[in-house]
């Protein structure tokens, strides 16, 4: 049986990828490796616990000896690498944590793959999951393509850019079989409520202010997380070794317009009169180095591998809002403890 190591599988996107692979491929062993940081939560995978082809290993990708041990223990054939520090605001406060996990952690995994796979890379693959933020910021025109130059601005995007470069260097230097994909902003179930969409859904439900950075004119390109997981499946199985694939939904929104859709949807689902939560919008100090616009051109993925997003945005947002409202235990669980300190420091003690 093929043994696939998925790192960061207890996080937001990783949990959707693990679930998809465990259910769709009963004849492949899925090993989920995750350090269970504040962002990792095994509750995200409760429905597949106990499946025969699924194993969880608590491990830190920065500990090379442990990673080497696990490569041997499970005779790992391929890696889908999602483990990372992923929140831009946290990277502004603590850039070193991002260099440690995103750069050194990725380099450790590459080194472990190279050392454990020896000279024979037949049926081996190191698939690295990255972000559109490595390409920097766009003005009102144009899109990021696979050939756009790297121009990261935040410590988060700089660390992801660096990890992408290390992945390519292992292909160029050692011919390690690698693929990279760079995706736009994801939304959907199990996203930690530090990111815009789950944070704002939760705040609207609790009648708390909605902190809009700057003038709210920044643009992001949003993709439903299950469409990202499907793209990862297709690229993992059919992508060209050495290639990069951009993943995005051609679905750009100014933050302020997106926030209005969120407010409308939450009010509708809660049965509130139209306009009830509009007054929660609160323009606050801008994020430092805030990138203006991200927009992905995913034509290559569509033309070469036949992937397309499956959902209209309003439909995806309604599904997401309902999920958060129906899963209040999950929300309460992840917003207790340390989250309260984070929230106070970010949004209240200013
Ligand atoms: P997340 O923060 O929800 O999850 C990250 C996971 O990695 C958590 O389970 C955490 O416990 C684990 N982790 C962190 N440090 C670790 C370490 N040292 N060792 C082992 N595990 C560790 O992140 P996400 O939003 O699901 O993002 C997953 C990946 O996708 C990241 O690489 C991110 O850069 C990339 N990405 C995210 C988005 C997005 O919109 N969220 C878009 C494009 C790309
Ligand atoms: O409180 C907020 N107020 C606000 O106006 C927050 C948390 C965000 N914003 C703005 C900043 C961005 O313009 O909303 C936009 C989206 O912010 P985030 O949800 O923090 O996402 P972003 O910074 O765009 O990065 C995300 O997409 C790319 C993920 O966090 C990354 O992991 C991914 O690589």
């Amino acid at each position: 049986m093929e043994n696939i190591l998925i790192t960061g599988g207890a996080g937001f996107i990783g949990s959707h990828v693990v679930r998809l692979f465990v259910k769709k491929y009963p004849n492949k062993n899925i090993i989920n490796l995750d350090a269970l940081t504040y962002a990792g939560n095994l509750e995200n995978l409760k429905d597949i616990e106990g499946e025969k082809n699924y194993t969880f290993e608590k491990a830190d990708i920065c500990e090379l000896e442990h990673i080497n041990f696990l490569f041997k223990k499970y005779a790992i054939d391929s890696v889908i690498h999602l483990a990372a520090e992923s929140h831009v605001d946290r990277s502004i406060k603590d850039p070193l944590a991002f260099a440690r996990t995103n750069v050194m952690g990725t380099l450790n995994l590459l080194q472990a793959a190279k050392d454990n796979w020896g000279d024979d890379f037949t049926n081996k693959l190191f698939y690295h999951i990255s972000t559109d933020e490595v390409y920097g910021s766009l003005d009102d025109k144009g899109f990021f393509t696979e050939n756009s130059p790297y121009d990261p601005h935040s410590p988060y995007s700089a660390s992801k850019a660096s990890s992408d470069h290390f992945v390519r260097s292992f292909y160029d230097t050692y011919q390690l079989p690698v693929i990279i994909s760079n995706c736009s902003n994801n939304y959907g179930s199990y996203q930690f409520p530090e990111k815009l969409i789950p944070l704002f859904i939760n705040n609207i439900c609790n009648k708390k202010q909605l902190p809009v950075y700057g003038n709210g004119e920044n643009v992001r390109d949003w993709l439903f997380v299950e469409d990202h997981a499907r793209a990862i499946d297709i690229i993992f199985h059919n992508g060209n070794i050495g290639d990069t694939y951009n993943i995005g939904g051609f679905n750009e929104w100014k933050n302020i317009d997106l926030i209005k859709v969120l407010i409308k949807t939450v009010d509708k689902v809660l049965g509130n009169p139209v306009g009830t939560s509009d007054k929660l919008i609160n323009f606050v100090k801008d994020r430092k180095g805030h990138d203006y616009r991200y927009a992905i051109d995913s034509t290559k993925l569509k033309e070469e591998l036949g992937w397309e997003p499956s959902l209209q945005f309003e439909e995806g947002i309604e599904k997401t809002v309902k999920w958060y409202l129906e899963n209040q235990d999950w929300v309460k669980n992840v917003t207790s403890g340390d989250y309260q300190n984070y929230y106070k420091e970010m949004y209240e003690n200013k």
Side-chain angles (χ1 to χ4, degrees):
M1 258 166 73
E2 187 182 351
N3 300 313
I4 305 174
L5 179 72
I6 301 184
T7 71
F12 165 48
I13 303 170
S15 63
H16 285 279
V17 177
V18 167
R19 179 177 299 100
L20 176 68
F21 273 65
V22 167
K23 288 190 170 168
K24 190 168 170 188
Y25 302 109
N27 293 325
K28 298 184 187 204
N29 286 321
I30 308 304
I31 299 100
N32 171 12
L33 183 165
D34 198 295
L36 300 181
T37 67
Y38 79 93
N41 185 356
L42 289 177
E43 290 286 309
N44 299 3
L45 289 166
K46 254 204 147 10
D47 54 324
I48 58 155
E49 246 174 41
E51 293 290 339
K52 277 216 260 336
N53 63 335
Y54 173 66
T55 312
F56 174 71
E57 283 283 353
K58 185 171 188 304
D60 184 337
I61 56 169
C62 299
E63 289 173 10
L64 183 54
E65 245 178 75
H66 194 187
I67 301 301
N68 272 322
F69 167 79
L70 294 175
F71 258 79
K72 290 187 176 62
K73 178 174 172 188
Y74 292 105
I76 297 301
D77 296 300
S78 39
V79 178
I80 306 179
H81 174 37
L82 296 109
E85 288 293 340
S86 69
H87 191 37
V88 173
D89 290 326
R90 289 188 194 252
S91 83
I92 294 167
K93 286 204 180 304
D94 184 11
L96 293 186
F98 284 68
R100 177 181 181 273
T101 290
N102 300 359
V103 184
M104 281 311 296
T106 302
L107 185 50
N108 277 337
L109 283 170
L110 288 163
Q111 188 68 28
K114 173 175 123 25
D115 289 347
N116 285 281
W117 292 343
D119 292 332
D120 183 10
F121 294 143
T122 316
N123 295 326
K124 302 287 193 277
L125 177 63
F126 190 103
Y127 178 13
H128 177 59
I129 307 302
S130 193
T131 170
D132 58 0
E133 300 195 17
V134 298
Y135 300 123
S137 181
L138 293 163
D139 58 21
D140 284 313
K141 282 203 226 72
F143 292 92
F144 297 132
T145 73
E146 287 80 2
N147 298 319
S148 296
Y150 274 40
D151 183 23
H153 300 295
S154 72
Y156 164 70
S157 53
S159 69
K160 290 297 290 187
S162 171
S163 66
D164 292 9
H165 289 319
F166 270 113
V167 172
R168 283 200 188 89
S169 80
F170 269 60
Y171 176 67
D172 292 338
T173 309
Y174 311 109
Q175 290 77 54
L176 190 82
V178 308
I179 295 181
I180 300 176
S181 59
N182 297 81
C183 189
S184 61
N185 286 57
N186 284 217
Y187 71 97
S189 54
Y190 300 110
Q191 188 169 30
F192 194 78
E194 62 188 351
K195 309 279 165 53
L196 180 74
I197 290 183
L199 174 74
F200 278 30
I201 294 174
N202 194 37
N203 281 13
I204 300 167
C205 291
N206 292 302
K207 302 185 176 53
K208 284 168 99 165
Q209 300 234 306
L210 306 176
V212 183
Y213 297 160
N215 57 12
E217 296 288 311
N218 301 63
V219 177
R220 296 291 182 268
D221 177 1
W222 293 94
L223 182 68
F224 190 57
V225 63
E226 292 174 37
D227 280 333
H228 188 188
R230 233 175 9 88
I232 289 173
D233 177 23
I234 291 169
I235 294 168
F236 178 79
H237 287 99
N238 303 313
N240 259 332
I241 302 296
D243 269 23
T244 294
Y245 295 89
N246 277 357
I247 311 173
F250 288 109
N251 179 43
E252 291 179 51
W253 287 81
K254 278 187 181 172
N255 289 340
I256 191 65
D257 295 336
L258 163 61
I259 290 159
K260 287 177 184 161
V261 172
L262 268 185
I263 290 175
K264 209 170 102 196
T265 311
V266 178
D267 276 343
K268 184 179 115 187
V269 175
L270 288 174
N272 292 335
V274 175
T276 306
S277 303
D278 293 355
K279 56 181 179 300
L280 297 176
I281 290 178
N282 181 26
F283 291 93
V284 299
K285 200 166 141 217
D286 208 354
R287 173 185 276 174
K288 288 193 175 83
H290 197 173
D291 284 336
Y292 171 59
R293 173 172 170 255
Y294 305 142
I296 277 278
D297 180 346
S298 53
T299 308
K300 173 178 172 180
L301 182 56
K302 182 179 174 190
E303 288 185 351
E304 289 187 13
L305 302 181
W307 174 89
E308 273 185 289
S310 68
L311 273 190
Q312 287 299 314
F313 187 58
E314 281 83 352
E315 196 186 343
I317 285 292
E318 183 154 340
K319 250 180 126 157
T320 304
V321 165
K322 284 184 175 153
W323 186 87
Y324 280 92
L325 292 175
E326 283 160 11
N327 288 276
Q328 283 296 303
D329 285 350
W330 182 92
V331 175
K332 285 204 180 88
N333 192 12
V334 301
T335 55
S336 61
D338 276 355
Y339 180 83
Q340 295 300 325
N341 300 329
Y342 168 80
Y343 193 90
K344 277 195 192 99
E345 200 194 334
M346 276 297 298
Y347 298 113
E348 289 172 0
N349 296 344
K350 292 259 163 189

